[in-house]
Structures are given as C-alpha cells and as structure tokens.
Amino acid sequence: MQIATWNVNSLKVRLPQVLDWLAARPELTVLAIQETKLEDHAFPRAEIEAAGWHVAFVGQKTYNGVAMLSRLPLEDVQFNLPNFDDPQKRVITATVGGVRVIGAYVVNGQALDSEKYPYKLAWIDALIAYTREQLAQYPQLALVGDFNIAPEDRDVHDPAKWANDVLVSPPERERFQALLDLGLKDSFRLFEQAEKSFSWWDYRMMGFRRNAGLRIDHVLLSDALAARCTGCEIDKEPRRLERPSDHAPVIATLAD
DNA sequence: ATGGCTTAGTGCCTAAGA
C-alpha cells in the first residue's frame, strides 16, 4: 500500500489537480490532505466519492481544514486532538487496511516572537501525547502531514538565512525528535535521497525554479510499518502545474 | 531589497501562510 500526504492550499482551487493526481496513481491507498480551507457543507464529497474514494473531513472557513481519502473504508475516524481544546481544525485520524493513519496540519507559528509560537509548541506537545496513546493501541501507525518543521539543516535550502527562524528553531526540532523517540521513523530518510530535497517552495522569489525550499511535509512510520517500507518520494510534478499548491505530495510505499 | 505570490473574506485591501 501507499500512504501520501499533501497540503493542497485550498481544496476548492486544487480539486481538479488532486483528482488527476489520484487517477494517475493506482497504487495509492490513502491520502491525507491539509489546508482544505472549506467548511464541511462546502466539501466536495460527491466528486471525490464519484472518483472511487472513501473520504472523511473536518474543516472551517478560510484556514486549516483536513481530510482523509482512501480506497479502503475509513474506520474509527477521529477528529482533532482529544487532549487539546482547539477551535482550529487540524487533525484527522482513521484506520485503513489495519493501519492507523494520523493526518496533521501542524501550526505554522509565524515568528518566534509571535503569540502563535507558544501555541505551536503546546499544540505539538499535545500531538506527541496523542500519538503516544494511539501508538500504544495501534502498533501499525503512520503520522503524516504538514509538520511545519524542517528537521535538519539539510532540509533547508539556506540554513544561514533561516537560522533561528520559525520552522527550524531548536524547540521545534526537539519536538520533532520527541515524535521520533516515540518509536517513529522519518520514512524519507530510510532511503538514499537527492541532496536539497524539499516539499515546499515559496510562491515568491521564484522559489521553485531556484529550488529554494524546505522539507516540512513528512510521513513518519512506526517501527512495525518502517520494516515494511520500500520507498519514500516527494512528487514535484504537481508543483510544476499552472496554479500549483506551494507544497508537493510525499508518498511512502509499504510492502504487503 | 526582511519582499516579490496565492488564497479567502471583510472584498478591490487585509491577513496569513512558511
């Protein structure tokens, strides 16, 4: 099976690209989507189901919003972090083919001196606790999404420029490591990868053409799943399209 | 050049993203 994550930056705008992408990937089993930016009544459920997908979603106006699409039925669907009271719709969890998949849109944080930064750190602490609890119940677990953290300097196009900025600060990276310490592997780093591999590029400054990006979208796999993982790739093709999302999808492949 | 673009809503500018 293949597990993917993609921050689409508005599902309303990107739905045709998402459906095209899914149609071209018959091996894909489950896709976690972030930043749908849609209230539930406006979610394009019929179009997605017509394409042969099961779907669950939780959203709000303008910001955030997450969805999970699956070829197999979505079981035991859970919305948001049960241990963190939060009006922002950022998490969706479901069991697919015996695999527990947590799709997360981690808080951006905006800047180190923003009030959103301590919110980000507290939010990730709750995600860590929730993932620990889920992992105890479901040894076959994938935590995927837009983490808004570049784990290492090699995940940053220009580490000097980004030094001490949000997305790379030590408290954020320590929390990313705390997630790994629960017993998760960054599937992308299980394999040899090209240098300067990124999953997000700024719309401005010709970021994509210059490959001035960050690797902030991740597929983390429990040890049981990591043992089955045969590959992980970032698909840059959708980023080349007209009117792209600023993020590229990340796909991990698991042997049966 | 500490910004350039893209999105949605309050709507023709503003806030936010990363």
Side-chain angles (χ1 to χ4, degrees), chain A residues 12-152:
Chain A
K12 183 180 177 183
V13 174
R14 230 67 66 192
L15 181 64
Q17 291 184 19
V18 171
L19 292 176
D20 285 351
W21 189 77
L22 292 172
R25 290 196 162 260
E27 303 301 306
L28 197 78
T29 314
V30 56
L31 170 64
I33 289 177
Q34 300 86 41
E35 286 209 88
T36 59
K37 301 188 179 182
L38 288 173
E39 291 183 291
D40 291 348
H41 68 80
F43 192 91
R45 172 203 287 275
E47 292 92 325
I48 290 169
E49 289 181 342
W53 294 85
H54 300 267
V55 62
F57 49 88
V58 60
Q60 63 188 96
K61 198 159 55 170
T62 311
Y63 304 115
N64 310 313
V66 287
M68 186 110 40
L69 278 58
S70 173
R71 303 259 191 214
L72 302 170
L74 294 157
E75 302 167 275
D76 302 314
V77 179
Q78 206 172 8
F79 302 107
N80 308 315
L81 293 172
N83 57 337
F84 192 84
D85 189 22
D86 185 3
Q88 302 191 13
K89 309 303 186 191
R90 294 181 173 276
V91 179
I92 188 164
T93 304
T95 302
V96 176
V99 175
R100 193 66 168 162
V101 183
I102 304 172
Y105 175 46
V106 174
V107 177
N108 173 281
Q110 197 166 55
L112 296 190
D113 59 359
S114 164
E115 62 194 16
K116 293 172 186 171
Y117 182 70
Y119 164 64
K120 177 177 191 174
L121 298 183
W123 194 95
I124 300 172
D125 285 340
L127 177 67
I128 294 167
Y130 174 64
T131 303
R132 178 187 294 114
E133 174 262 318
Q134 288 286 294
L135 202 46
Q137 290 182 60
Y138 304 96
Q140 304 215 79
L141 180 141
L143 172 60
V144 312
D146 176 357
F147 286 69
N148 271 315
I149 301 173
E152 301 177 56

Side-chain angles (χ1 to χ4, degrees), chain A residues 156-158 161-162 196 198 200-214 239:
Chain A
V156 179
H157 68 97
D158 186 345
K161 192 183 232 171
W162 279 85
K196 302 198 176 297
F198 306 123
W200 169 87
W201 302 262
D202 202 312
Y203 284 126
R204 301 165 293 184
M205 301 174 281
M206 296 183 289
F208 186 66
R209 204 192 312 181
R210 295 190 299 124
N211 196 31
L214 303 172
R239 190 62 176 79

Side-chain angles (χ1 to χ4, degrees), chain A residues 150-170:
Chain A
E152 301 177 56
D153 279 354
R154 62 178 166 163
D155 301 311
V156 179
H157 68 97
D158 186 345
K161 192 183 232 171
W162 279 85
N164 297 315
D165 211 335
V166 75
L167 312 200
V168 306
S169 73

